[in-house]
Amino acid sequence: MHRICLTPVLVLLLSASCLADESLCRWSYGIATDQKQELDLEERFVRLQKALGTPLATQYECKRNPVCCMWVTFWKPNPSGDGYLILVQPGGAILMASDLRQFDRAIERIEAEAVRKGNEVHLPVGVMTSYSVAALSPAK
């Protein structure tokens, strides 16, 4: 059975606001994934929900990224090694992991980088990754 992915009503009710320096944004979105709900994933998604401070249930088996969420997906890097990539923007985020071990590492990274202000969770805007970064400035 498929669940409806983050309805437009939620998108209107929830928003992310950036702090003055715009290096952090308040996280107020849910989590969505193209994966099936399975025991080994469910516990990880509960941990990610806690790290993000979101009370919204994870939306499983979405056919595509509904945006305004933490979109979690898995891929097999070829020919490079395993790893994770997290891209956070004020309107949502993408978390890509090569396997469950890397997904765990990505959650640990979010837990370490998240800034708590009262009941709010703020995430750094930009890229967090286990891969080496080829360039730190925008392309010319």
Side-chain angles (χ1 to χ4, degrees), residues 103-126:
F103 185 38
D104 289 337
R105 290 185 64 210
I107 295 170
E108 289 169 7
R109 182 72 177 267
I110 289 170
E111 290 169 336
E113 300 292 338
V115 175
R116 297 198 177 271
K117 295 186 179 284
N119 291 335
E120 297 178 347
V121 173
H122 297 260
L123 294 179
V125 174

Side-chain angles (χ1 to χ4, degrees), residues 5-84:
C5 294
L6 302 177
T7 64
V9 174
L10 286 175
V11 174
L12 292 173
L13 292 174
L14 301 174
S15 65
S17 62
C18 289
L19 298 178
D21 66 3
E22 296 188 9
S23 64
L24 294 172
C25 67
R26 182 174 57 89
W27 189 262
S28 60
Y29 301 121
I31 304 165
T33 182
D34 54 357
Q35 301 298 307
K36 292 181 181 179
Q37 188 172 2
E38 297 173 1
L39 183 60
D40 57 343
L41 280 177
E42 188 171 0
E43 290 176 12
R44 287 173 167 94
F45 278 103
V46 167
R47 185 172 159 212
L48 181 57
Q49 276 180 274
K50 288 179 183 175
L52 295 171
T54 180
L56 302 172
T58 299
Q59 302 296 311
Y60 292 91
E61 297 185 67
C62 294
K63 293 182 189 238
R64 59 186 162 88
N65 182 349
V67 300
C68 293
C69 67
M70 171 74 69
W71 176 248
V72 178
T73 190
F74 294 86
W75 95 104
K76 288 289 181 198
N78 184 11
S80 69
D82 293 337
Y84 67 84

Side-chain angles (χ1 to χ4, degrees), residues 94-108:
I94 297 172
L95 186 162
M96 296 172 32
S98 59
D99 56 31
L100 292 177
R101 181 175 171 275
Q102 295 303 319
F103 185 38
D104 289 337
R105 290 185 64 210
I107 295 170
E108 289 169 7

